[in-house]
Amino acid sequence: MDAIPEVTLSPAAAARVAAIAAKQAKPAILRLSVEGGGCSGFQYRFGLADAPDGDDLIAETDGVRLVVDSVSIDLVRGAEVDFVESLGGAAFRVTNPQAASGCGCGTSFAV
């Protein structure tokens, strides 16, 4: 398991993951993965993890871990996961320098 400073979890996202994990009595570990699909070709998937997998890369902010599988890391290298609240709602948002384009929903991208 390698540290990946090139993928980061913002303090706002770390606080939100910690709050969600506490309510669900789970460890504060957010899994980010990339799957084919969405309106731009790839889409982000988020979920709480019980533990990192053996091939996961890990970033940590304020005691909260962000884990990314070895296949997805090439598509999100250099990205930051943030948590934003607006009139339209609250959501995790990925700022991804690997994405050549995105879509209005903010969860789909193309490379």
Side-chain angles (χ1 to χ4, degrees):
M1 294 187 287
D2 301 322
I4 46 168
E6 67 269 23
V7 176
T8 57
L9 185 66
S10 76
R16 184 63 177 170
V17 171
I20 293 168
K23 283 182 183 175
Q24 295 186 13
K26 290 186 160 244
I29 303 172
L30 179 67
R31 174 169 300 284
L32 167 63
S33 60
V34 177
E35 298 177 355
C39 48
S40 294
F42 294 101
Q43 57 190 350
Y44 302 113
R45 289 282 182 220
F46 294 102
L48 290 180
D50 291 324
D53 291 336
D55 65 344
D56 283 343
L57 299 170
I58 303 168
E60 189 167 326
T61 301
D62 299 333
V64 175
R65 290 184 281 177
L66 171 66
V67 295
V68 182
D69 65 84
S70 60
V71 174
S72 297
I73 189 60
D74 288 336
L75 295 169
V76 296
R77 192 173 308 280
E80 179 187 47
V81 176
D82 195 10
F83 183 76
V84 294
E85 295 185 70
S86 66
L87 291 175
F92 289 103
R93 179 163 299 150
V94 179
T95 302
N96 185 353
Q98 302 295 325
S101 63
C103 67
C105 68
T107 62
S108 181
F109 69 102
V111 292

